[in-house]
Amino acid sequence: MNTLAEENYLKAILNISFNTNKKVSTNEISNVLKTSPASVTDMLKKLLEKKLVEYEKYKGVELSNSGKQYAINILRKHRLWETFLVEHLGFNWSEVHEIAEELEHIKSTKLIDKLDAFLGYPKFDPHGEPIPNKEGVIPNVKSTSLDQMEVGFAGHVLGVTIDDKLFLDYLTKLNIKIGTKIEIIQKIDFDKSLIVRIENIQNHISFDVAKNILIKNN
Amino acid sequence: MNTLAEENYLKAILNISFNTNKKVSTNEISNVLKTSPASVTDMLKKLLEKKLVEYEKYKGVELSNSGKQYAINILRKHRLWETFLVEHLGFNWSEVHEIAEELEHIKSTKLIDKLDAFLGYPKFDPHGEPIPNKEGVIPNVKSTSLDQMEVGFAGHVLGVTIDDKLFLDYLTKLNIKIGTKIEIIQKIDFDKSLIVRIENIQNHISFDVAKNILIKNN
DNA sequence: AAATAAATTTAGTTATGTCTAAAAATTTTT
DNA sequence: AAAAATTTTTAGACATAACTAAATTTATTT
Ligand SMILES: [Mn+2]
Ligand SMILES: [Mn+2]
Ligand SMILES: [Mn+2]
Ligand SMILES: [Mn+2]
């Protein structure tokens, strides 16, 4: 078995590579985990030793097959727990990430399979993020981030790509949740911000916000 | 906040003092936690520093008020999670202790309060052990261990005092669960073992087994 | 193609929590 | 009340996972 710190590194590498499709750099990992680059280097050596990553110094890192399977399983646990917290315990979507950061490290496979069954084998978590199944297969839904849509576009929110509390509380204040209809009224070239209509109320949102909102891809 | 190791020591001290009502010795703790006596001494110094225990060297240890509250809260979390696992995920009573050993360290107070509500504020866990409430009050039920009852006694199982897998699986094989009616047919003086009738089947159980079965106290 | 800047690694340190072996204190036996 | 046995503590070591500061490598400018 791997330690909690090792699991957090594996998950961080997986999450970063979902976005970039390149080898992951030491600095990217240190930013995500809020540790020093030197600590990251130390850990990468250990993960290499365990054959959970492919790593050459100064060249970046990627997960090995076994490392990837392991990381996906942590992601599965994270998202199933988030689903439980929202659906059954009545948490709102901005509160669950932090708690799931702890719950995802509970080891029992039987527990997570029974939880999965209890939840009815959900395919998406409360943020619209896909939940890997027992075999590690991640449901694939074609989606585009809101910032890439054109003026005049109207569609429904499929999910978000980060589950940071500040971000989600802000969305809630804007009346945006999964399924909300959003229309793009105008795009500001200068800062790439958007003027949008949400439930018939007009609002101005930044590029950074739009980038993290996913829209169904027809 | 305290570390996982500190929490385990606090809980161990609480559990031991439930049985003995005396100051807890270094060796008792090392037996429960399967660590060396030297490690226990190290940790007791740290807990003393944090004022979670009262401790003088060579004199044994007891929990301070704050240490006791803290330990009771871990016990509360342990037993609520065990209840969830049995009642909602379909685990049997012998499987849940090990998993709850991990779940009891999840920090969020809001989580445990919502779980408590979800479960309907249970007073006893799947082993018949009392669940402390939010204020740290432990339901008090008068009970006696089976070994203390006389020949001719007949009554119902209220709970067990350990939740070791081997013990619980053995009870299940004997057809003993919470509520099961047990009659004492005979007591063997030599080894204090008992011949009992369980659901109309006669069986011979050791003193060690009888000692850990609780019977309602009229 | 140097020079400069940025990213990464190495070296050395620290805190936690464990261990074994040896020393010291306490308890039990004679 | 000594001696012996047991318990507990101390001393010294080790693994994990972090850090800062310095050195090295790679990337970017000039
Ligand atoms: Mn999350
Ligand atoms: Mn999520
Ligand atoms: Mn238990
Ligand atoms: Mn229990």
Side-chain angles (χ1 to χ4, degrees):
Chain A
M1 261 320 92
N2 303 302
T3 67
L4 190 135
E6 288 166 348
E7 292 190 346
N8 283 332
Y9 276 90
L10 291 175
K11 191 175 58 127
I13 296 167
L14 181 68
N15 276 326
I16 295 166
S17 52
F18 278 143
N19 299 326
T20 61
N21 301 312
K22 288 189 293 213
K23 283 195 182 172
V24 173
S25 76
T26 300
N27 264 3
E28 285 172 308
I29 297 170
S30 85
N31 286 335
V32 169
L33 296 181
K34 281 121 176 50
T35 57
S36 70
S39 302
V40 174
T41 301
D42 284 347
M43 182 56 88
L44 292 182
K45 285 179 192 164
K46 201 193 306 178
L47 295 175
L48 178 64
E49 201 62 43
K50 290 190 166 197
K51 302 198 167 158
L52 292 163
V53 299
E54 280 155 34
Y55 166 62
E56 274 182 284
K57 46 165 153 162
Y58 296 106
K59 300 279 173 63
V61 68
E62 57 190 327
L63 295 170
S64 70
N65 282 345
S66 69
K68 187 168 186 185
Q69 273 313 116
Y70 197 99
I72 286 174
N73 190 240
I74 298 166
L75 205 63
R76 164 171 160 80
K77 292 194 280 183
H78 183 105
R79 293 178 179 173
L80 284 171
W81 279 117
E82 283 187 345
T83 304
F84 171 69
L85 295 177
V86 168
E87 305 268 304
H88 292 273
L89 296 192
F91 278 93
N92 69 54
W93 73 343
S94 75
E95 301 172 298
V96 296
H97 179 75
E98 215 187 349
I99 301 173
E101 283 295 312
E102 294 183 57
L103 286 164
E104 71 190 3
H105 301 289
I106 304 293
K107 301 209 158 24
S108 168
T109 300
K110 190 165 183 182
L111 169 60
I112 211 65
D113 291 341
K114 280 180 175 285
L115 181 65
D116 196 13
F118 174 79
L119 297 172
Y121 305 101
K123 291 244 186 324
F124 298 93
D125 83 2
H127 311 107
E129 294 164 307
I131 301 175
N133 71 8
K134 196 170 155 55
E135 281 72 41
V137 178
I138 304 176
N140 184 24
V141 175
K142 278 163 258 157
S143 64
T144 316
S145 55
L146 182 60
D147 66 289
Q148 295 183 287
M149 309 308 277
E150 299 303 325
V151 169
F153 165 85
H156 297 267
V157 173
L158 209 80
V160 295
T161 49
I162 52 177
D163 38 19
D164 176 79
K165 185 171 189 334
L166 288 178
F167 175 62
L168 295 170
D169 282 342
Y170 177 54
L171 290 194
T172 301
K173 223 175 73 188
L174 289 173
N175 243 300
I176 296 174
K177 47 181 180 251
I178 291 176
T180 300
K181 186 182 176 191
I182 298 189
E183 293 172 64
I184 300 180
I185 308 296
Q186 195 186 332
K187 290 176 102 167
I188 316 294
D189 285 341
F190 171 65
D191 61 1
K192 300 197 215 149
S193 65
L194 291 81
I195 294 173
V196 294
R197 185 153 43 225
I198 302 155
E199 304 285 356
N200 291 321
I201 292 163
Q202 203 159 303
N203 251 305
H204 189 176
I205 64 176
S206 71
F207 174 71
D208 261 13
V209 167
K211 199 180 61 189
N212 288 300
I213 296 174
L214 293 180
I215 297 295
K216 189 180 235 152
N217 206 336
N218 50 314
Chain B
M1 262 319 91
N2 304 302
T3 66
L4 190 135
E6 287 166 349
E7 292 189 346
N8 284 332
Y9 276 91
L10 291 174
K11 191 174 57 127
I13 296 168
L14 181 68
N15 276 326
I16 295 166
S17 52
F18 278 143
N19 299 328
T20 63
N21 301 309
K22 287 188 293 211
K23 283 194 182 174
V24 174
S25 76
T26 300
N27 264 2
E28 285 173 308
I29 298 170
S30 84
N31 286 335
V32 169
L33 296 181
K34 283 121 174 51
T35 56
S36 71
S39 302
V40 174
T41 301
D42 285 347
M43 183 56 89
L44 292 182
K45 285 180 192 164
K46 201 194 305 179
L47 295 175
L48 178 64
E49 200 63 44
K50 290 190 166 196
K51 302 199 166 155
L52 292 163
V53 299
E54 279 155 34
Y55 166 63
E56 275 181 283
K57 51 164 146 160
Y58 295 107
K59 300 280 173 63
V61 69
E62 57 191 327
L63 296 171
S64 69
N65 283 345
S66 68
K68 187 167 184 184
Q69 273 313 117
Y70 198 100
I72 286 174
N73 189 240
I74 298 166
L75 206 62
R76 166 172 159 80
K77 292 194 279 183
H78 183 105
R79 292 178 179 173
L80 284 172
W81 279 117
E82 283 187 345
T83 305
F84 171 69
L85 295 177
V86 169
E87 305 268 303
H88 292 273
L89 297 193
F91 279 94
N92 69 53
W93 74 343
S94 75
E95 301 172 298
V96 296
H97 179 75
E98 215 187 349
I99 301 173
E101 283 295 312
E102 294 182 57
L103 285 164
E104 71 191 4
H105 301 290
I106 304 292
K107 304 216 155 23
S108 169
T109 300
K110 190 165 184 181
L111 169 60
I112 210 66
D113 291 341
K114 280 180 175 286
L115 181 65
D116 196 13
F118 174 78
L119 297 172
Y121 305 101
K123 291 246 187 320
F124 298 93
D125 83 1
H127 312 107
E129 294 163 308
I131 301 176
N133 70 10
K134 195 169 156 53
E135 281 70 42
V137 178
I138 304 176
N140 183 24
V141 175
K142 278 163 259 157
S143 64
T144 315
S145 56
L146 182 60
D147 65 289
Q148 296 184 287
M149 309 308 278
E150 300 302 325
V151 169
F153 165 85
H156 297 267
V157 173
L158 208 80
V160 294
T161 49
I162 50 176
D163 36 19
D164 176 80
K165 185 170 190 334
L166 287 177
F167 175 62
L168 295 171
D169 282 341
Y170 177 54
L171 290 193
T172 301
K173 222 174 75 188
L174 288 173
N175 243 298
I176 296 174
K177 48 182 180 246
I178 290 177
T180 299
K181 187 181 175 192
I182 300 189
E183 293 172 63
I184 300 180
I185 308 296
Q186 196 187 334
K187 290 175 100 168
I188 316 294
D189 286 339
F190 172 65
D191 60 2
K192 301 195 215 153
S193 64
L194 291 82
I195 294 173
V196 295
R197 185 153 44 226
I198 302 156
E199 306 282 355
N200 292 320
I201 292 162
Q202 203 160 304
N203 251 306
H204 190 177
I205 63 176
S206 71
F207 173 72
D208 261 12
V209 166
K211 199 182 58 189
N212 288 299
I213 295 175
L214 292 182
I215 296 294
K216 190 182 235 152
N217 206 336
N218 55 310

